[in-house]
Amino acid sequence: MGMSKWWKSAVFYQLYPRSFQDSNGDGVGDLQGIISRLDYLSWLGVDALWLSPIHPSPQVDFGYDVSDYCGIDPLFGDKELFLELLDEVHRRGMRLILDGVFNHCSIAHPWFQRAARGEKQEWFHFRSRPNNWTSAFGGSAWSWNREAEKYYLHTFLSEQADLNWSNPEVEEAVLDVLHYWLKLGVDGFRLDVFNCYHKDRSYRDNPTRWSPLALLSRLVYPYLSQHHRYDRDRPELRESLQRMRSVVESYDGVLLGETLDEQFRYDNAAPYALDQQLQLTFNFRLLHSKYSAPDFHQAISSWVHDLGSEGWPTWALSNHDFPRHATRWGIRSPEHQLRRMKQLALLSLTLKGTPCLYYGEELGLKEGKLRRAELQDPVGRRYWPFFQGRDGARTPMPWNERGGFSEEKPWLPYGKGVSDVATQQGEEDSLLCWYRQVLTIRKRHPTLQLGAMSLEAEDPQLLAFERTDDEARFRVVLNLSERPISVHIAGEPLCSSASFSS
Ligand code: NOJ
């Protein structure tokens, strides 16, 4: 048997640095804050941390608009502090990956400023006439730049200019950034919307999508009204990803990529996890699924099927872009809610693949409800009240009864209706203790990390699968209905959502 890669058995934990722990009283989380909470993370039992962007940025899209790929935003700390964080993470046997935002950079980045002046303009997409491409954040994907007297392309906000990956210098620059952080000891990158890197070289118009939803969206959100044939998922991508992979692999690092797909089917992610491209890609079919055994079954089996024997699955139930699953799949009765959250934790931590937890899900944190005046997310501000934006998934981590995230007013209000870390640590039956116990069981049994998986036949109420290897056989059975169902299970149960046995 070959040596198994660490990222296959690891459990990732995504942390939104602005909201994890503030140490200097400005209401925004920072690196010192994260350092002070590392003992919590190792107590919980996660293996790798993914930090949403911490590089210098005007923060228009909260760090997804980078103005210096090799620095640390003073809001979060500095290089020295980052190295201390990295060291402390490694000392606890965990790993750390950064968020690589390479489809676009901030218009405040010197690369863009230089291009606007007419120097190395081919690093971006400057054109004298826009085509019909649309922005995923609304409106046209082209904005006028006065200095250059041309339009430039942005798949997201006009403050986020798309880099021109057809230009080999751009890819070289990105590879240099990868080397830079990997040499310092970073363990890899989550890649933001990597399937958008390459664009059609002759900027052909995207074809119109003819569906009722697409037509309806034309005025409000035109991104849905076209097939994105020419502005993403281009054939050149494959080799770029292979080159990035080989750099990262030479440091034993990982690339975990996120695709953009307005259809919310995310069925474009699997091919990129094959053929020496990315080790891992996200697939959000489960995240977007209805809470039902057949829907979950479908989401899981199709993802596993698409990856075949070569690709390795990842699982995420929540992240910083979508409403938290405690709300999405929430149920009124607190007792049922707790049971549901426990089953979901068990699901994501025992399916074959790499789970990626989102900070606060271990507490059952719900989507925060914000007033119009409290909104921070530019997308929420633009589309309110039709879409409230993503702030609700980014509220501060509640550490204790007083909050404990910051001495001052936090940049977003705390969410409501869920108890804090300290309280849950003191209650054996809490969701937090459950996460910790399932993580411990997972760590103790390599079968649950790397064993084969077979999904049992679809059932209206139950979702069941087995994990097996030469050493052991586990059967996971989830009851997704609200009624008790009796199931015959051979052998001793290791845990059930009511109790654990050791
Ligand atoms: C996807 C990220 O997850 C999201 O938060 C961000 O706004 C866009 N990419 C643009 O970078």
Side-chain angles (χ1 to χ4, degrees):
M1 211 174 75
M3 267 264 287
S4 165
K5 297 288 185 187
W6 65 266
W7 43 265
K8 285 194 171 175
S9 43
V11 174
F12 280 74
Y13 184 96
Q14 179 195 357
L15 164 175
Y16 199 68
R18 296 182 69 90
S19 302
F20 203 60
Q21 178 68 63
D22 176 22
S23 76
N24 61 357
D26 62 359
V28 175
D30 46 48
L31 300 187
Q32 189 63 57
I34 299 174
I35 295 176
S36 72
R37 295 299 184 183
L38 288 178
D39 284 339
Y40 164 76
L41 295 167
S42 66
W43 169 84
L44 182 61
V46 294
D47 307 293
L49 310 181
W50 148 29
L51 307 189
S52 279
I54 52 172
H55 305 301
S57 158
Q59 303 285 332
V60 184
D61 190 20
F62 299 110
Y64 287 93
D65 48 327
V66 177
S67 56
D68 171 7
Y69 287 105
C70 295
I72 302 293
D73 196 300
L75 190 61
F76 298 120
D78 56 21
K79 191 73 77 40
E80 206 179 315
L81 196 57
F82 174 74
L83 293 177
E84 188 183 326
L85 166 65
L86 190 59
D87 199 48
E88 291 290 327
V89 168
H90 287 159
R91 222 164 47 76
R92 290 168 175 80
M94 295 189 283
R95 316 222 182 202
L96 187 147
I97 68 168
L98 290 174
D99 212 312
V101 190
F102 303 125
N103 171 67
H104 45 266
C105 65
S106 165
I107 54 170
H109 195 295
W111 294 344
F112 185 82
Q113 309 251 306
R114 175 178 78 183
R117 287 197 304 270
E119 266 172 72
K120 300 208 178 217
Q121 212 162 64
E122 351 40 85
W123 278 49
F124 295 86
H125 301 273
F126 279 99
R127 308 261 299 158
S128 44
R129 267 188 332 123
N131 62 8
N132 80 343
W133 296 354
T134 45
S135 155
F137 281 172
S140 165
W142 298 92
S143 286
W144 180 251
N145 181 272
R146 256 198 261 152
E147 205 177 348
E149 297 189 321
K150 281 182 188 150
Y151 292 91
Y152 66 95
L153 180 70
H154 51 88
T155 302
F156 295 90
L157 299 174
S158 58
E159 289 87 348
Q160 297 165 297
D162 281 30
L163 285 156
N164 181 3
W165 278 72
S166 307
N167 178 354
E169 284 180 18
V170 166
E171 190 184 296
E172 271 310 305
V174 169
L175 296 181
D176 285 348
V177 172
L178 299 183
H179 276 294
Y180 177 81
W181 291 108
L182 291 161
K183 267 195 201 129
L184 290 173
V186 162
D187 300 291
F189 298 82
R190 173 262 187 190
L191 297 181
D192 190 65
V193 295
F194 71 85
N195 66 323
C196 300
Y197 291 173
H198 285 274
K199 317 288 193 288
D200 179 46
R201 285 170 192 249
S202 44
Y203 300 95
R204 277 171 281 186
D205 277 347
N206 279 328
T208 304
R209 180 188 291 278
W210 298 107
S211 77
L213 178 66
L215 288 174
L216 205 71
S217 75
R218 268 203 114 119
L219 289 175
V220 196
Y221 185 59
Y223 195 74
L224 292 188
S225 71
Q226 43 188 242
H227 291 283
H228 291 274
R229 185 173 301 159
Y230 296 118
D231 57 354
R232 59 169 207 232
D233 296 295
R234 301 300 302 160
E236 295 85 354
L237 187 53
R238 184 189 160 88
E239 288 188 5
S240 293
L241 297 179
Q242 289 171 337
R243 288 188 286 265
M244 292 172 85
R245 159 100 174 240
S246 78
V247 166
V248 170
E249 226 160 38
S250 66
Y251 295 86
D252 191 26
V254 71
L255 290 173
L256 162 55
E258 176 221 38
T259 49
L260 177 66
D261 170 17
E262 77 292 350
Q263 292 300 292
F264 300 131
R265 288 203 308 264
Y266 301 93
D267 34 18
N268 56 354
Y272 302 116
L274 309 174
D275 292 331
Q276 283 300 303
Q277 298 176 78
L278 307 182
Q279 290 102 325
L280 300 172
T281 59
F282 278 120
N283 167 291
F284 298 136
R285 260 176 252 176
L286 184 57
L287 191 154
H288 284 285
S289 167
K290 266 205 329 228
Y291 188 87
S292 91
D295 285 80
F296 278 18
H297 193 280
Q298 172 61 27
I300 294 164
S301 58
S302 59
W303 179 218
V304 170
H305 171 267
D306 291 356
L307 290 166
S309 56
E310 191 193 333
W312 187 255
T314 59
W315 304 104
L317 303 181
S318 288
N319 68 29
H320 64 295
D321 288 329
F322 301 107
R324 285 181 175 273
H325 69 266
T327 298
R328 258 184 9 247
W329 291 324
I331 183 166
R332 207 160 267 159
S333 136
E335 182 202 333
H336 281 128
Q337 172 80 359
L338 180 60
R339 204 164 282 172
R340 222 178 234 205
M341 293 304 117
K342 286 185 173 180
Q343 294 212 76
L344 289 164
L346 192 60
L347 177 68
S348 78
L349 294 171
T350 58
L351 281 170
K352 175 184 163 186
T354 302
C356 190
L357 308 179
Y358 183 50
Y359 85 98
E361 76 165 74
E362 70 274 31
L363 304 173
L365 210 60
K366 294 191 182 137
E367 185 70 0
K369 287 207 186 79
L370 282 88
R371 284 179 289 119
R372 170 78 182 89
E374 290 169 326
L375 294 187
Q376 302 280 342
D377 178 17
V379 191
R381 288 155 85 130
R382 178 169 194 163
Y383 283 107
W384 192 89
F386 304 106
F387 172 61
Q388 265 108 69
R390 302 164 295 176
D391 297 315
R394 302 172 177 180
T395 58
M397 183 78 168
W399 292 102
N400 56 43
E401 273 181 343
R402 288 175 299 107
F405 161 73
S406 177
E407 294 299 316
E408 292 300 322
K409 186 169 178 252
W411 75 289
L412 284 177
Y414 287 101
K416 293 204 175 80
V418 98
S419 54
D420 54 87
V421 172
T423 308
Q424 293 204 31
Q425 280 181 322
E427 293 166 356
E428 229 178 90
D429 190 36
S430 67
L431 184 62
L432 177 57
C433 289
W434 171 267
Y435 265 87
R436 179 168 188 249
Q437 282 162 311
V438 178
L439 282 159
T440 310
I441 292 178
R442 183 187 155 98
K443 200 155 286 175
R444 205 183 299 147
H445 299 282
T447 315
L448 289 173
Q449 301 160 23
L450 297 170
M453 176 168 79
S454 65
L455 258 180
E456 294 179 20
E458 193 182 303
D459 176 280
Q461 270 116 23
L462 297 179
L463 181 74
F465 53 92
E466 279 194 353
R467 301 292 312 277
T468 47
D469 63 8
D470 297 343
E471 300 298 313
R473 188 170 83 113
F474 289 88
R475 182 157 175 243
V476 179
V477 184
L478 306 176
N479 173 3
L480 285 116
S481 80
E482 296 314 319
R483 288 173 298 106
I485 296 180
S486 62
V487 185
H488 175 74
I489 298 182
E492 278 292 297
L494 207 55
C495 66
S496 84
S497 64
S499 65
F500 272 95
S501 60
S502 46

